[in-house]
């Protein structure tokens, strides 16, 4: 049985990974994200381990209401939960506990 996640930043990372999967699910959206982020599809998996990259994923989702709503619908998360994850990952005082 998996241990429940209680750390808000861990939850935020999970939400960001779900958002990345959402972005990757639509070629046009993925192309736009890759172009804006400056990374290639071959480095996407490695980049997902970086909390700053995960913050940029949620930055991309949060900048457009339609994208937030679509991701909320697919992930079955309330938009305020997505916004809270976005805020948690963009907190400059946070340091990841795990390397």
């Amino acid at each position: 049985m998996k241990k429940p996640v209680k750390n808000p930043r861990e939850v935020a990372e999970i939400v960001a990974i779900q958002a990345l999967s959402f972005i990757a699910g639509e070629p046009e959206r993925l192309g736009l994200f890759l172009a804006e982020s400056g990374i290639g599809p071959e480095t996407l998996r490695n980049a997902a381990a970086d909390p700053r990259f995960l913050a940029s994923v949620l930055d991309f989702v949060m900048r457009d209401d339609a994208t937030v709503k679509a991701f909320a619908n697919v992930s079955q998360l309330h938009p305020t939960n997505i916004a809270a994850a976005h805020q948690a990952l963009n907190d400059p005082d946070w340091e990841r506990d795990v390397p």
Side-chain angles (χ1 to χ4, degrees):
M1 186 162 129
K2 286 187 175 182
K3 183 175 106 176
V5 178
K6 299 197 186 235
N7 180 326
R9 290 180 182 94
E10 287 179 33
V11 172
E13 285 187 2
I14 292 167
V15 171
I17 291 168
Q18 290 174 328
L20 182 57
S21 178
F22 165 76
I23 291 167
E26 184 181 300
E28 184 177 325
R29 187 179 291 136
L30 178 60
L32 180 60
F33 176 74
L34 292 176
E36 289 181 12
S37 67
I39 66 167
E42 66 282 351
T43 60
L44 200 53
R45 184 177 299 270
N46 289 336
D50 181 355
R52 291 172 298 197
F53 173 76
L54 293 177
S56 74
V57 169
L58 290 180
D59 288 342
F60 180 83
V61 169
M62 291 295 296
R63 72 175 189 194
D64 176 56
D65 283 344
T67 304
V68 173
K69 288 177 184 177
F71 173 56
N73 186 46
V74 168
S75 65
Q76 298 182 341
L77 292 170
H78 193 277
T80 57
N81 295 106
I82 298 167
H86 179 250
Q87 182 176 359
L89 286 180
N90 282 293
D91 181 356
D93 296 327
W94 175 66
E95 287 189 29
R96 187 176 180 153
D97 295 333
V98 181

